[in-house]
Amino acid sequence: ITFMIDIWQEIYGTIRRNKLRTFLTGFAVAWGIFMLIVLLGAGNGLIHAFEASSSDMAMNSIKIFPGRTSKSYDGLKEGRRIRLNNEDVDITAKNFRKNVITAGATVEQGSVNISHGKEYVNVTLNGVYPDYTEVERVKSAGGRFINHIDIQERRKVIVINKKTADILFPRGQQAMGQFINGNGTAYQIVGLYENKEDRDTREAFVPFTTLQLIYNKGDTLNDIIFTTKELNTEEANETFEKDYRKAIGAHHRFDATDDGAIWIWNRFTQYLQQQKGMNILRTAIWIIGIFTLLSGIVGVSNIMLITVKERTREFGIRKALGAKPSSILWLIIIESVVITTLFGYIGMVAGIGATEYMNMVAGSQTMDTGMWTETVFLDPTVDVKIAIQATLTLIIAGTLAGFFPAKKAVSISPIEALRAE
C-alpha cells in the first residue's frame, strides 16, 4: 500500500510540475475519443434513416414502369412509347413462376373529387391489387384493404386516408361502411390507412379492375408490381432482369437490350448497393476515428519519452540506491494509464453528450421532395458499449505507449544514467 501511495504522489508531482504539457497531451487523447464517438453518431444517423426507410417495405420486390424505346427494332423506329397492359401482368405471373411470388399492377386517375354531404376532398385514385400492401407502405387504421373478390367482381369499394375521413366525416362521425361520391360514382369505405412520411394523404385505393372499367382505361396500366423469391444475389437479379426484358420485349416488339423501353426498379439490388455504401461509410468512420485516436496515443508516447529523458539521472540514482527496475517501470506505465484514462473518460462523456444533443436537435431530419418526405437522418446516437470499448482500447494503447519508454528507462545502467545531461 505504501508503495502505491508513493507512486501516486510521484505521478501527481510530475503532472503538477508539467501542467501545460500534460493538458495538451490529455486534450489530444480526449479529442480523439470525442471525435470518434461523434463520427460514429453521425454515421449511425444516416444508417438508421436508411434502415427505417426500408424496414416496412418488401425488399424482394420489383416495379416495372413504361418508357420509350431508344433503339430501332423489327422495322420500328426508336422513340416509340411503350404502354404496359394487363397481358404483361399475366406474362409476369405465368412465365416467371419460379421467381415471382405474386404479381399485380397499378393504374391511376388523378383529380377525383370525393365527397360526403357538403364536405369534399380532391384525391388521386389508385387502382391496385391486394398484394400492393406487401410492397408499399400502407399502414392500416381500421377495416381492410382491397381483396381478390373486389378485383373479380369489380366492386365499388374504397380505402381512404384517416385524415381524409376526418374531413369528410367531421365531429366524430363513423366513416367505415359509409358511401361517398367520387365524380358521380358511389364508393363504399371498407378501410382506412394512416399517413406515412413518404405517402401523400390525398390518395385513395380502389380495386384495379374497377378503376379500369369506370374511367375507360381499357387494359392499360401505370406500372407492374411483384415480389420475388430465390433471387438472393445481384447476379441472379441481373439474369432475371435480362430474361424479363426479353419476355416483355417480345410482347411489345422492342430490343431486349433496350434499357429505355421499360424501367425496372429492383429494390433488392438497390438495397444491396445501399448496404455496400453503408459498410463503406462505417469503415471510413472507423478509419478516420482510429487515426484521430492514434494522434492522441502518439502524444502520450511523446510525453513519456520526454519524461524518461528528463528523469534519466533521477532513475539512475534510484537504481544506484537499490530501487528495483519494476518500481521504475510501474511508475511510468501508471502515469501513462492515468493520463489516458482520465482524459479518455472526459472525451467519452463529452462525445456521448454531443451525440445526445445532436439527437435532441436534429434526431429526425426529413427531406421534402414535393410529393413526399423522406427520412435522411435519424437517431444519431452511439451504443454506450461501443463508446466504452473504444475508450478501453484507448487506455490499452496508452499503456503500450508508456511501456516502451519505461522499458528504455529500466534498461539504462546507473552509470550511464548519471552521465546523462
Side-chain angles (χ1 to χ4, degrees):
I1 296 175
T2 305
F3 170 70
M4 290 303 298
I5 292 175
D6 290 340
I7 286 180
W8 283 110
Q9 287 177 342
E10 290 199 41
I11 291 173
Y12 175 73
T14 303
I15 293 175
R16 189 175 180 181
R17 287 192 302 270
N18 302 282
K19 293 186 182 115
L20 180 60
R21 188 173 66 194
T22 303
F23 171 77
L24 293 176
T25 303
F27 178 78
V29 172
W31 182 255
I33 195 70
F34 172 81
M35 285 304 300
L36 175 61
I37 292 175
V38 170
L39 286 171
L40 287 174
N44 284 341
L46 298 173
I47 293 168
H48 292 160
F50 163 68
E51 291 174 345
S53 65
S54 58
S55 61
D56 53 357
M57 290 190 300
M59 288 296 102
N60 61 324
S61 63
I62 296 178
K63 293 186 78 171
I64 311 297
F65 297 92
R68 290 182 181 274
T69 59
S70 58
K71 299 178 181 180
S72 57
Y73 180 77
D74 197 21
L76 300 173
K77 294 183 178 181
E78 69 276 8
R80 181 167 52 95
R81 185 176 179 182
I82 301 300
R83 296 180 181 274
L84 298 176
N85 54 42
N86 293 350
E87 189 175 343
D88 293 314
V89 181
D90 295 334
I91 291 172
T92 303
K94 294 177 181 177
N95 292 20
F96 298 93
R97 291 175 182 174
K98 181 181 176 181
N99 298 117
V100 174
I101 301 174
T102 57
T106 305
V107 61
E108 295 181 359
Q109 179 64 37
S111 298
V112 176
N113 284 323
I114 57 174
S115 60
H116 180 265
K118 296 181 180 179
E119 307 295 338
Y120 71 92
V121 179
N122 187 271
V123 301
T124 296
L125 284 185
N126 291 318
V128 297
Y129 278 75
D131 65 341
Y132 185 85
T133 55
E134 297 177 13
V135 180
E136 299 294 345
R137 303 178 191 174
V138 182
K139 184 179 180 181
S140 176
R144 64 174 178 85
F145 198 67
I146 307 302
N147 61 33
H148 290 287
I149 298 178
D150 297 332
I151 298 291
Q152 293 171 2
E153 297 182 0
R154 296 181 173 84
R155 289 178 174 177
K156 296 181 180 66
V157 294
I158 191 169
V159 177
I160 63 175
N161 190 279
K162 190 174 183 300
K163 291 182 179 179
T164 301
D166 292 339
I167 296 173
L168 297 179
F169 300 91
R171 296 179 295 279
Q173 297 179 44
Q174 178 64 36
M176 200 69 65
Q178 297 291 330
F179 284 87
I180 58 177
N181 187 297
N183 286 5
T185 301
Y187 295 95
Q188 185 179 26
I189 300 173
V190 295
L192 302 176
Y193 74 93
E194 290 182 338
N195 187 43
K196 298 291 288 184
E197 289 181 347
D198 64 344
R199 180 159 296 285
D200 192 343
T201 60
R202 295 167 299 179
E203 284 185 324
F205 302 99
V206 299
F208 178 85
T209 50
T210 302
L211 194 145
Q212 275 192 330
L213 176 66
I214 291 176
Y215 290 97
N216 299 317
K217 297 288 185 178
D219 65 348
T220 62
L221 47 91
N222 288 81
D223 58 68
I224 300 171
I225 184 171
F226 55 92
T227 52
T228 62
K229 59 183 178 180
E230 299 180 16
L231 298 176
N232 302 319
T233 63
E234 285 192 59
E235 292 74 18
N237 279 273
E238 287 174 2
T239 301
F240 174 84
E241 289 179 18
K242 288 180 181 179
D243 294 339
Y244 190 84
R245 286 184 185 278
K246 186 176 181 180
I248 302 299
H251 177 219
H252 290 280
R253 295 175 63 193
F254 65 78
D255 193 327
T257 62
D258 188 352
D259 294 338
I262 57 172
W263 178 48
I264 299 178
W265 180 18
N266 190 327
R267 278 181 174 154
F268 184 75
T269 54
Q270 182 185 37
Y271 176 77
L272 291 179
Q273 291 165 1
Q274 289 175 329
Q275 283 288 77
K276 287 182 180 178
M278 293 299 103
N279 290 334
I280 292 172
L281 176 62
R282 286 191 186 98
T283 303
I285 288 172
W286 274 105
I287 289 174
I288 295 170
I290 287 171
F291 275 100
T292 307
L293 283 179
L294 283 176
S295 66
I297 299 303
V298 169
V300 175
S301 182
N302 286 338
I303 194 173
M304 290 300 104
L305 284 170
I306 294 170
T307 299
V308 168
K309 187 170 182 178
E310 287 180 347
R311 302 177 67 184
T312 301
R313 288 176 61 85
E314 176 191 336
F315 295 150
I317 294 171
R318 284 172 180 248
K319 292 180 74 175
L321 294 175
K324 294 180 180 180
S326 60
S327 65
I328 300 173
L329 186 69
W330 277 110
L331 176 64
I332 300 173
I333 289 177
I334 292 175
E335 183 176 339
S336 174
V337 171
V338 166
I339 293 174
T340 53
T341 302
L342 175 62
F343 287 95
Y345 178 78
I346 293 172
M348 181 188 75
V349 172
I352 293 175
T355 57
E356 290 297 332
Y357 178 76
M358 193 190 309
N359 185 38
M360 182 176 64
V361 174
S364 182
Q365 291 293 310
T366 58
M367 178 179 65
D368 190 352
T369 65
M371 297 180 65
W372 67 80
T373 57
E374 187 71 28
T375 301
V376 294
F377 198 68
L378 179 67
D379 188 22
T381 56
V382 178
D383 191 335
V384 175
K385 292 181 180 179
I386 299 295
I388 293 174
Q389 288 172 2
T391 306
L392 289 175
T393 302
L394 178 67
I395 293 170
I396 293 170
T399 303
L400 294 175
F403 173 77
F404 294 107
K407 187 177 179 182
K408 180 180 178 182
V410 171
S411 65
I412 299 174
S413 66
I415 295 174
E416 291 177 355
L418 290 171
R419 288 176 179 173
E421 293 295 332

